[in-house]
Amino acid sequence: MIDEEIFRLMEEEREHQNKTLSLIASENYTSESVMHALGSVLTNKYAEGVPELRYYKGCKVIDKIENLALERLTRLFDAEAGNVQPHSGTQANMAIYFAVLNPKDYVLSLSTVNGGHLSHGSLINFSGELYNFVHYGVDENGFIDYENVEYLAKKYRPKLIVCGASSYSRIIDFERFKKIAESVDALLMVDMAHIAGLVAAELHPSPVPFADFVTSTTQKTLRGPRGGFILCQKKYERIINKAVFPGIQGGPLMNVIAAKAVCFAEAMTSEFKSYISQVLKNAKEMAEKFSELKFDVVTGGTENHSFVLDLTKFELDGEQFSRMLEEVGINVSKQTVPNDKLGWKQASGVRIGTPAITTRGFDTDACDKLVDLINLVVRDFDGSKEYVKSEVAKLASQFPIYNYNNKHVDD
Ligand code: DSN
């Protein structure tokens, strides 16, 4: 039976994605090979446990798939060990906390308002409820305040320090974080979800040599399926595996694990490195062009795939502006700016990211054009709306979603 209602909605969403542009820094478009693995018979199989140590029988092929995913993951990031089972980045973070913390233990992390993730101790998340998170912040220019990290580490002597962010456009000094962690006998966890693709392409410093644990998603700059993974030193492998299953999850999603394996292989190619290099060029170009047009770019620019526009001077908040952009076919996420007074529901800014448009083939000229259109929206929404809408539609059809090379990994 074909579920016509759902099929129709899937087609509607396909058309929506094709006709609009996503500047959401955490979004991307996977390859057809990744989607092929996702929609496969692998979804039929239960495989609780780890390869060669399963609770259900019939896992011989499944074991080969998970071992291949693991081997590719650890090779891609040059890590000693890993786990490919976390259903998401939050599950990966939860597994680390479950493995090394007791309820009420102190943990140090970047606050959500300054770019940290919900699972880094937000009070509306399990992490903030179970553990005593203390937050370091950013300075008045939006840069991580390492002296504040050091001060808080000495004051609270946390068991774990978390770095990595959902919204931070500068390179994080992992070595400095490691030194701070060592000075107070804390463990260091790096959540590299946003920058994983940049690290894989060796166009961003890797946290692996410095962190006890690295967590990530696979769907962002890495351009894989929605899912998570963990990297760690060999000595932590057993406690991490136990924390993931049976600690916080049941059966792994084997179709997703196969899709992760495809994504890891794709990320090893020279095409992927060129793609990430263009993601970085496009982000830099857009941040510079916004600055020329007198927008306030938090930290004054970017060293990765994303940046934040502070809209305060336009008397607009992030919620209002992202709604205006949605009306003309551009999707962004609202974002709090450093030490924001407005809170997350309104937020004083929007986050801009280039991974998705770069997958569609955007070069710096197309990015300039897009910035000009966004500039029109901010300065004269009513007067420019229809024009911008039609120009966005033109850009979207000029750069269709599946125009990039969907080769099978072993072609
Ligand atoms: N929600 C994601 C983001 O947009 O950054 C993080 O998981």
Side-chain angles (χ1 to χ4, degrees):
M1 162 203 153
I2 290 179
D3 184 332
E4 282 183 14
E5 234 177 324
I6 280 293
F7 186 75
R8 196 167 32 77
L9 289 170
M10 279 165 54
E11 285 308 301
E12 202 176 313
E13 175 60 18
R14 182 200 298 277
E15 198 174 319
H16 165 73
Q17 290 186 15
N18 261 315
K19 289 191 166 163
T20 56
L21 297 175
S22 175
L23 289 173
I24 293 174
S26 47
E27 286 187 353
N28 215 329
Y29 309 106
T30 64
S31 68
E32 280 171 1
S33 307
V34 164
M35 290 212 206
H36 186 65
L38 285 173
S40 68
V41 292
L42 300 174
T43 198
N44 298 337
K45 193 72 195 98
Y46 249 115
E48 289 180 359
V50 290
E52 287 90 45
L53 205 62
R54 305 285 192 184
Y55 286 75
Y56 295 86
K57 295 299 172 220
C59 288
K60 285 196 172 65
V61 182
I62 291 298
D63 281 359
K64 286 187 204 168
I65 290 171
E66 187 164 340
N67 278 331
L68 185 57
L70 263 172
E71 186 276 318
R72 287 180 181 176
L73 171 68
T74 49
R75 185 152 47 95
L76 180 62
F77 291 104
D78 200 15
E80 287 181 15
N83 186 300
V84 290
Q85 293 190 4
H87 301 330
S88 70
T90 293
Q91 299 301 125
N93 292 345
M94 187 185 228
I96 304 299
Y97 303 156
F98 194 63
V100 302
L101 299 175
N102 291 311
K104 305 285 175 232
D105 274 347
Y106 276 102
V107 188
L108 196 53
S109 72
L110 182 64
S111 55
T112 322
V113 72
N114 287 322
H117 188 250
L118 281 173
S119 62
H120 299 174
S122 162
L123 286 175
I124 53 171
N125 183 266
F126 81 94
S127 52
E129 185 148 342
L130 282 184
Y131 309 106
N132 263 323
F133 270 82
V134 176
H135 297 296
Y136 52 88
V138 292
D139 63 22
E140 65 281 6
N141 298 316
F143 288 79
I144 288 176
D145 184 345
Y146 290 92
E147 277 168 24
N148 182 237
V149 180
E150 216 160 346
Y151 166 79
L152 292 171
K154 291 213 159 68
K155 181 165 174 188
Y156 291 96
R157 301 200 69 87
K159 200 183 250 183
L160 180 71
I161 297 181
V162 176
C163 68
S166 280
S167 182
Y168 188 67
S169 61
R170 296 292 167 173
I171 285 170
I172 295 172
D173 189 343
F174 301 124
E175 189 170 5
R176 187 147 180 204
F177 265 101
K178 180 63 184 167
K179 280 193 185 132
I180 296 172
E182 270 173 355
S183 74
V184 294
D185 287 329
L187 293 162
L188 179 66
M189 174 184 126
V190 178
D191 180 341
M192 66 164 184
H194 264 265
I195 53 166
L198 283 51
V199 173
E202 298 177 323
L203 293 172
H204 187 289
S206 171
V208 172
F210 304 106
D212 295 286
F213 313 103
V214 176
T215 59
S216 184
T217 53
T218 38
Q219 72 270 19
K220 298 187 175 86
T221 47
L222 214 41
R223 213 160 60 174
R226 307 195 76 80
F229 66 81
I230 295 169
L231 299 168
C232 63
Q233 293 157 20
K234 193 81 190 156
K235 65 180 176 188
Y236 296 121
E237 188 179 31
R238 226 177 65 81
I239 60 161
I240 293 303
N241 286 346
K242 257 181 70 185
V244 175
F245 174 83
I248 63 158
Q249 288 189 176
L253 312 175
M254 288 312 305
N255 55 327
V256 181
I257 288 175
K260 289 174 190 173
V262 174
C263 145
F264 301 145
E266 288 176 349
M268 287 177 204
T269 61
S270 55
E271 286 90 343
F272 186 78
K273 193 164 179 154
S274 308
Y275 159 67
I276 292 293
S277 162
Q278 192 62 44
V279 166
L280 296 171
K281 276 187 209 150
N282 286 349
K284 195 160 179 285
E285 177 73 17
M286 289 182 86
E288 281 172 8
K289 177 114 180 142
F290 274 120
S291 297
E292 279 165 25
L293 293 168
K294 307 284 176 245
F295 279 73
D296 290 326
V297 177
V298 172
T299 78
T302 179
E303 292 167 332
N304 60 27
H305 62 296
S306 71
F307 55 90
V308 174
L309 298 176
D310 183 338
L311 303 164
T312 311
K313 70 150 71 139
F314 299 116
E315 293 180 8
L316 275 173
D317 63 43
E319 174 59 28
Q320 289 166 326
F321 191 49
S322 52
R323 261 198 252 148
M324 286 153 67
L325 288 177
E326 189 178 17
E327 277 193 53
V328 296
I330 300 170
N331 291 316
V332 297
S333 46
K334 60 188 168 188
Q335 178 65 46
T336 44
V337 302
N339 308 311
D340 204 321
K341 302 278 179 299
L342 287 186
W344 65 268
K345 277 197 183 149
Q346 284 170 284
S348 296
V350 291
R351 188 184 58 171
I352 304 282
T354 54
I357 53 169
T358 308
T359 294
R360 293 178 85 134
F362 267 61
D363 54 14
T364 49
D365 287 344
C367 286
D368 281 347
K369 169 100 187 142
L370 191 50
V371 174
D372 282 330
L373 294 173
I374 295 171
N375 186 41
L376 286 176
V377 173
V378 101
R379 314 266 169 194
D380 177 19
F381 180 57
D382 291 332
S384 68
K385 189 169 143 186
E386 290 313 315
Y387 168 74
V388 175
K389 225 183 196 173
S390 75
E391 289 302 302
V392 168
K394 272 190 218 159
L395 275 174
S397 71
Q398 194 184 337
F399 297 100
I401 290 177
Y402 286 113
N403 71 343
Y404 74 99
N405 201 348
N406 268 310
K407 281 195 301 194
H408 282 273
V409 293
D410 52 3
D411 275 355

